[in-house]
Amino acid sequence: MSSLRPAPRRRVDAGAAASRVVHPIERESYRILRSRVDLAHLPPLTRAVTERVVHASADLDYVTDLVCDEAALAGGLAALRAGAPVVTDVAMVAAGVTGRDTVCPVAEPAAAELARAAGITRSAAAVRIALERVGPGAVWVVGCAPTALEQLITLDARPALVVGLPVGFVGAAESKAALRASGLPGVSNRGEKGGSAVAAAALNALLYVEEEQ
């Protein structure tokens, strides 16, 4: 369909994150976080993601609930540095991603039309549309809709990384378990919680990693 135009690819310098100005409140938040839990034993990217998710949520349970794979995170970071497109399931995730253009078709009429025709949710339809635009090698960030994550797993998306942190009592934990079982490179958590803020935080951790290490 005509709406499936190519997504813009934005190349980002590896040192771009270093120019970000860290607010004193954020520095203090990290100081408090580190006074309450020592994550120095974690691999560097896993630690960066875990700390930023905890910082964004003020929820220390994520320390044990998050499931990270250092090799998958390294692959995602390399893809981001090479300018891989970032796809989000909802606009709230996109709004939380710092310094990177995103692809998010969920609000487009084409997503609603495809959802009606295929008998799927609009979030799942948006995943299909986004994949036609970005192709393999994208970084996918799901923070709201379990059906978006479920749909992504069924497709031949060949993602560089999937941040799978949807929230809810219906299907959220199950979709994240399916992501882990799929073998796709991913970040997830075991429980029902998640959400746009923590999903964006996990991605931002990789975007800021040069600064945080």
Side-chain angles (χ1 to χ4, degrees):
M1 61 181 69
S2 61
S3 65
L4 302 184
R5 59 189 180 280
R9 290 178 180 257
R10 180 178 177 185
R11 187 168 293 277
V12 177
D13 293 336
S19 64
R20 188 178 73 96
V21 177
V22 180
H23 194 281
I25 292 176
E26 180 178 335
R27 292 190 186 279
E28 178 64 5
S29 176
Y30 267 75
R31 186 196 67 76
I32 294 170
L33 185 164
R34 289 166 178 164
S35 73
R36 296 187 182 182
V37 60
D38 182 5
L39 300 179
H41 63 285
L42 294 177
L45 297 181
T46 297
R47 179 183 180 184
V49 169
T50 303
E51 286 191 334
R52 187 148 292 274
V53 166
V54 172
H55 159 74
S57 62
D59 187 347
L60 288 168
D61 286 347
Y62 278 112
V63 169
T64 54
D65 191 48
L66 274 179
V67 181
C68 297
D69 178 85
E70 190 74 2
L73 293 175
L77 176 59
L80 290 168
R81 287 175 170 169
V86 175
V87 184
T88 68
D89 65 326
V90 293
M92 286 185 67
V93 176
V97 173
T98 301
R100 181 62 68 108
D101 296 330
T102 62
V103 177
C104 184
V106 71
E108 296 175 10
E113 292 168 7
L114 177 57
R116 285 192 295 269
I120 57 178
T121 68
R122 192 168 63 180
S123 296
V127 168
R128 294 188 187 181
I129 292 171
L131 180 57
E132 290 194 43
R133 293 182 185 171
V134 304
V139 175
W140 295 76
V141 190
V142 178
C144 180
T147 57
L149 185 55
E150 291 165 357
Q151 184 71 198
L152 179 61
I153 293 167
T154 69
L155 300 174
D156 184 27
R158 286 168 283 164
L161 181 69
V162 180
V163 177
L165 293 168
V167 62
F169 293 119
V170 180
E174 292 82 357
S175 68
K176 289 176 275 194
L179 172 62
R180 294 191 292 276
S182 72
L184 295 175
V187 177
S188 64
N189 70 301
R190 297 181 179 86
E192 296 162 332
K193 63 185 173 184
S196 298
V198 296
L203 181 68
N204 285 339
L206 296 180
L207 296 176
Y208 300 159
V209 72
E210 294 270 320
E211 169 191 312
E212 294 186 350
Q213 287 186 350

